Amino acid sequence: MIGFQNILRIILWGLCCPFLLGTLYMPLTDDYHHIRPAEQFSFGFVVMTAVFDLLAVYLILIRAPFHVLKNAWMIVILFLCLLSAFLLWRHRQTVFGPSFRSEKRGDRRTLYILFGTAVFLILCQTLLLTVRMHMDTDDARFIPEALEAIEKDTMLAYNPINGQYENYEKAFPKTPGMPVGEMLKDAASPYPIYLGLLSDLFGLNPAITAHTVLPSLFIPLSYLVFFLIGLYFFEGDLSKTAVFLIFLSVIFLFSFESKFALGYVLLNIIWQGRSVMAMVALPFLWYILLLYSDRPVTLRTFFILFLVNMSCSMLSGTGAILAGMLTVSYTIVRGFETRRLKTVLFMGLSAVPCAFCVYYGQRFLEKIF
Amino acid sequence: MQKIKDFILSIIHLNNEYTSTAMYFGLYLFMLVLMAFFARDRKYDAKRVVIPACVLLWVIYLLLPFLLVFLEFGLDEQIRARTFWTLMIPPVIAVGFTALVFEVEQGRKRFMAIIAVCLLLMASGEFKINNNVFQKAENLYKLPQELVDVCDTVLGDGREVKLIVPYETAHVFRQYSTDILLLYGEDATIQRVVQTTYEINDTCREMMSEAPDLNFVGEVARKNQVDYILFDTVYQTFGGHSLNFDGYAESPDFAGDRSATDEQKAVTADVRLYNRKGEVFWGLREFGLDYVGRFGQYMLYRYE
């Protein structure tokens, strides 16, 4: 059962925490604009996952217990939340100030109808997966790994598929188990452990978190990112952005042409790492790359891109490859356009987490485990 | 020459794997052309969308297949198909159509244009939202309730237990509790985590047949300290007795030949049916199996 306390925890860790952490986007862009919830949530999610990646990859390597990771992550996140709250307080006049409504607005009635339709379609899709059930056999790996973290306080020490304790150091029977086979991917992209962490924070079994709670968080989050993309393309025109969201919703509802189609990914398996990467982190990376297509690329830009690439790498090994491809393609275009080494270096080097994740997961871990 | 043929086939295969009917992909390419020529002063112009997309298309369609075929170095098929995600096909189509729709005069005409585009997008895709894909949720775990009941029963002793289960249900149990161990799991046929022994693979194969050789399964269960064995009445019959009274259907995802050889059938040919307080079950005690209970289409036995 999901009790009142669980709902409060979901609101705290699933909504309030990313919203607050999203404030860190302001000092990174040096733009203390009015609050944009879509930007806040998206960037907050990126910060949460990037911090987790930084800690988890190392702690899994040294085979630390799960509670060490959980406590370390919570300390860093609480510190960042305090910093965010301080920033909000310090810049309260601009953040909550009168420029709150600056987007272009046309005919108000039409706008309401268009946005109402878009929100209705998004809600239907969210409810579809929150209320109905779709089983995917890949969960046989991800969810037991998350459950192991909570129940056994170990990370990737057991074969998730059958529960076998993976300890090949026969000479040292008391050493913790270690990842093998496909589990090596999860040591480099520890999303299943992140799922375990979220489940622990929500006070729920990972199967409930993944199949019931996360669709209700990640499907709207995905559309928030697309909302940002719409605002960017149509320069703040809300009517156009609403129509853009309607068309996008229709495409996703009818985009089941293969198991790789994004509609299938969004509406069937959004709780899996590669799906969150494909529907939230990768589009957000695209948004940032688009945003900086006509702004000067600075050290702060590098840091934002670095965090988003790290987030993609944490969510999935495939995510590391795709985020790297996307970043490099925009770097090439921007490099030819500006002919500035600094731009190319800042944009190109931001893909280092992707390269690290691929090398670490595919080569390094195989050598040491 | 063979390499060039492989290269072309690799590209065609990759394209088909992702694009299927290719309708959305066609619309995407159409939008790229429109953006390249008619969106000069817009945010969705060639510089921001089209040129990066061309770089990515070159990587996906030419560079990756080239690396794979000529240098035998590259990504596996699944990741290559997912590289299409970097193209952001749905948002590019949606942006293009939104821009087109707002070229239409405001009012009823624009409203009709929005509906027309929605219909075109619907006709271009495939709608697969139905009761087979999205079943009615039986619990918050979103796992079949009868299998959750099996989990609760076997965990009743409060200790770790090891199970042999029908292959098609193997992905469920360890999502519920890590105290449930399996002799083989969801990857029994592909072994993506670790290689298992031939004996365990053979047990999985036996359990997929309509009449598993219980002498063999029992021996493997004894050696591996298995506590429970779960049978599926949809597929399995012992002594020629089917217990699928409620007419449970076969899972289309796990279709295949389930027939058993005469040797396999001979092992359990003498199995008789028993009735305990209205519950009919196979008497498998001679194979060391004690009947525990029935859970929907599944029958649980404790291995002594």
Side-chain angles (χ1 to χ4, degrees):
Chain A
M1 276 296 290
I2 299 181
F4 180 67
Q5 206 179 35
N6 301 117
I7 292 172
L8 282 182
R9 286 165 164 220
I10 293 166
I11 292 170
L12 177 69
W13 290 106
L15 296 175
C16 299
C17 186
F19 185 80
L20 196 56
L21 287 173
T23 310
L24 296 173
Y25 189 68
M26 294 178 189
L28 286 174
T29 50
D30 200 20
D31 179 7
Y32 293 90
H33 51 64
H34 58 82
I35 278 190
R36 286 189 194 142
E39 221 164 49
Q40 293 268 131
F41 275 118
S42 312
F43 192 70
F45 169 80
V46 164
V47 172
M48 285 170 79
T49 47
V51 168
F52 184 83
D53 191 45
L54 206 60
L55 298 169
V57 169
Y58 172 68
L59 291 173
I60 290 169
L61 179 68
I62 63 164
R63 299 188 222 170
F66 170 67
H67 76 265
V68 173
L69 172 60
K70 182 188 160 188
N71 293 339
W73 183 83
M74 282 178 74
I75 289 168
V76 177
I77 290 296
L78 283 176
F79 169 74
L80 292 177
C81 281
L82 286 174
L83 183 66
S84 303
F86 170 73
L87 286 171
L88 276 181
W89 172 253
R90 197 166 168 209
H91 298 277
R92 62 190 178 281
Q93 280 177 340
T94 48
V95 169
F96 301 107
S99 62
F100 184 70
R101 292 181 173 183
S102 65
E103 287 93 354
K104 291 176 194 170
R105 281 156 187 258
D107 173 18
R108 197 162 281 266
R109 198 171 70 99
T110 314
L111 182 68
Y112 287 151
I113 292 170
L114 292 173
F115 250 102
T117 312
V119 169
F120 173 75
L121 284 169
I122 294 164
L123 276 180
C124 284
Q125 293 176 27
T126 307
L127 278 175
L128 177 74
L129 206 53
T130 307
V131 177
R132 305 290 285 186
M133 152 172 131
H134 175 82
M135 283 195 290
D136 191 88
T137 51
D138 279 347
D139 289 348
R141 186 175 110 221
F142 306 131
I143 294 181
E145 283 175 351
L147 200 53
E148 176 205 325
I150 300 172
E151 291 187 352
K152 309 265 189 204
D153 197 23
T154 55
M155 294 188 285
L156 307 176
Y158 294 81
N159 178 345
I161 306 290
N162 62 11
Q164 181 73 40
Y165 190 57
E166 294 305 344
N167 185 348
Y168 290 108
E169 293 180 31
K170 302 289 183 204
F172 306 99
K174 285 188 179 172
T175 52
M178 58 188 105
V180 287
E182 278 204 340
M183 293 163 74
L184 292 177
K185 290 182 192 171
D186 302 326
S189 303
Y191 174 77
I193 312 295
Y194 185 68
L195 175 61
L197 175 77
L198 285 181
S199 306
D200 202 22
L201 296 173
F202 296 167
L204 296 169
N205 177 297
I208 299 179
T209 302
H211 300 150
T212 304
V213 180
L214 293 189
S216 64
L217 293 176
F218 286 155
I219 294 176
L221 181 61
S222 170
Y223 278 103
L224 278 181
V225 175
F226 287 118
F227 172 73
L228 284 174
I229 291 169
L231 279 183
Y232 168 79
F233 277 132
F234 301 113
E235 298 172 66
D237 188 323
L238 285 174
S239 297
K240 287 182 180 175
T241 305
V243 173
F244 166 72
L245 288 178
I246 292 170
F247 290 159
L248 202 58
S249 298
V250 173
I251 294 174
F252 286 143
L253 279 170
F254 285 80
S255 176
F256 283 75
E257 66 268 27
S258 78
K259 65 176 177 172
F260 304 107
L262 287 171
Y264 177 86
V265 170
L266 178 75
L267 297 177
N268 284 44
I269 50 168
I270 188 65
W271 57 81
Q272 292 180 2
R274 58 171 169 263
S275 311
V276 190
M277 177 276 298
M279 301 311 301
V280 179
L282 202 63
F284 190 68
L285 176 64
W286 192 44
Y287 168 69
I288 298 290
L289 290 167
L290 287 169
L291 214 55
Y292 284 92
S293 293
D294 37 27
R295 289 184 191 180
V297 175
T298 62
L299 189 62
R300 294 175 194 221
T301 319
F302 161 77
F303 198 66
I304 295 171
L305 285 171
F306 191 87
L307 283 178
V308 187
N309 275 317
M310 196 182 263
S311 172
C312 288
S313 306
M314 192 286 272
L315 292 166
S316 151
T318 310
I321 295 167
L322 304 195
M325 277 172 65
L326 196 60
T327 308
V328 169
S329 71
Y330 273 84
T331 305
I332 292 169
V333 174
R334 201 73 214 279
F336 274 108
E337 185 200 348
T338 60
R339 296 175 191 279
R340 292 185 67 189
L341 185 64
K342 196 177 108 181
T343 303
V344 175
L345 276 180
F346 280 155
M347 286 182 75
L349 287 177
S350 72
V352 164
C354 306
F356 172 78
C357 176
V358 173
Y359 173 77
Y360 182 74
Q362 304 279 328
R363 296 275 181 273
F364 182 77
L365 286 176
E366 271 183 11
K367 280 180 193 161
I368 63 162
F369 284 141
Chain B
M1 200 64 191
Q2 182 60 35
K3 288 263 183 193
I4 292 171
K5 190 180 164 192
D6 288 346
F7 177 63
I8 293 166
L9 284 175
S10 168
I11 293 169
I12 293 169
H13 177 69
L14 172 74
N15 178 70
N16 293 347
E17 183 82 348
Y18 180 80
T19 59
S20 185
T21 59
M23 284 298 286
Y24 282 138
F25 197 68
L27 288 175
Y28 169 74
L29 294 178
F30 174 68
M31 288 307 165
L32 285 187
V33 173
L34 281 188
M35 287 172 184
F37 293 104
F38 301 106
R40 284 225 173 109
D41 303 323
R42 306 294 169 109
K43 289 274 186 183
Y44 40 88
D45 62 359
K47 185 187 90 178
R48 294 178 182 92
V49 180
V50 184
I51 299 173
C54 290
V55 174
L56 288 166
L57 283 168
W58 176 79
V59 171
I60 294 167
Y61 274 106
L62 294 173
L63 184 64
L64 294 179
F66 178 84
L67 290 176
L68 193 72
V69 173
F70 290 97
L71 304 178
E72 291 173 3
F73 159 79
L75 308 172
D76 70 39
E77 279 192 9
Q78 298 228 331
I79 298 178
R80 283 174 62 215
R82 289 184 187 121
T83 53
F84 280 87
W85 293 350
T86 54
L87 297 173
M88 301 289 159
I89 292 171
V92 169
I93 296 173
V95 165
F97 273 122
T98 307
L100 284 178
V101 157
F102 276 82
E103 291 296 317
V104 177
E105 191 184 317
Q106 194 172 2
R108 186 172 290 181
K109 280 185 183 170
R110 187 180 290 168
F111 182 68
M112 296 305 286
I114 291 172
I115 292 177
V117 170
C118 285
L119 291 174
L120 175 67
L121 292 175
M122 287 174 188
S124 303
E126 286 180 38
F127 189 71
K128 286 192 181 162
I129 296 175
N130 55 48
N131 286 340
N132 287 335
V133 180
F134 296 95
Q135 297 150 11
K136 189 181 172 197
E138 296 168 20
N139 49 54
L140 286 173
Y141 294 90
K142 307 272 179 81
L143 300 172
Q145 186 57 43
E146 59 264 37
L147 296 177
V148 170
D149 293 339
V150 170
C151 294
D152 286 334
T153 304
V154 300
L155 290 170
D157 301 340
R159 61 181 179 88
E160 272 189 358
V161 286
K162 194 179 244 184
L163 272 67
I164 294 178
V165 297
Y167 172 67
E168 53 275 12
T169 67
H171 64 101
V172 171
F173 295 91
R174 289 188 42 79
Q175 293 188 47
Y176 187 76
S177 169
T178 51
D179 282 341
I180 298 176
L181 311 183
L182 301 173
L183 184 72
Y184 52 82
E186 170 267 343
D187 74 336
T189 53
I190 43 176
Q191 295 170 20
R192 59 191 185 185
V193 175
V194 281
Q195 295 288 318
T196 51
T197 62
Y198 287 116
E199 205 172 52
I200 290 177
N201 292 338
D202 288 345
T203 312
C204 178
R205 220 166 290 132
E206 283 289 340
M207 288 296 287
M208 287 169 87
S209 79
E210 61 172 326
D213 176 350
L214 290 186
N215 284 331
F216 175 77
V217 174
E219 179 59 19
V220 176
R222 187 185 59 76
K223 271 199 252 174
N224 291 281
Q225 289 124 33
V226 169
D227 301 283
Y228 293 92
I229 300 181
L230 189 70
F231 296 107
D232 188 339
T233 59
V234 171
Y235 299 107
Q236 283 152 352
T237 54
F238 293 116
H241 309 295
S242 169
L243 295 182
N244 187 13
F245 303 132
D246 296 323
Y248 289 104
E250 290 186 14
S251 167
D253 293 342
F254 295 96
D257 181 21
R258 301 280 182 150
S259 59
T261 61
D262 289 342
E263 290 79 27
Q264 279 177 303
K265 285 179 185 170
V267 174
T268 50
D270 298 331
V271 166
R272 288 191 297 162
L273 291 182
Y274 288 81
N275 190 328
R276 188 198 293 163
K277 294 176 186 169
E279 267 190 80
V280 181
F281 60 94
W282 296 300
L284 302 175
R285 186 158 275 182
E286 65 176 293
F287 301 102
L289 293 167
D290 264 350
Y291 177 67
V292 176
R294 181 169 185 143
F295 302 85
Q297 71 193 70
Y298 304 102
M299 305 198 69
L300 182 67
Y301 286 78
R302 184 194 292 272
Y303 186 74
E304 297 294 336

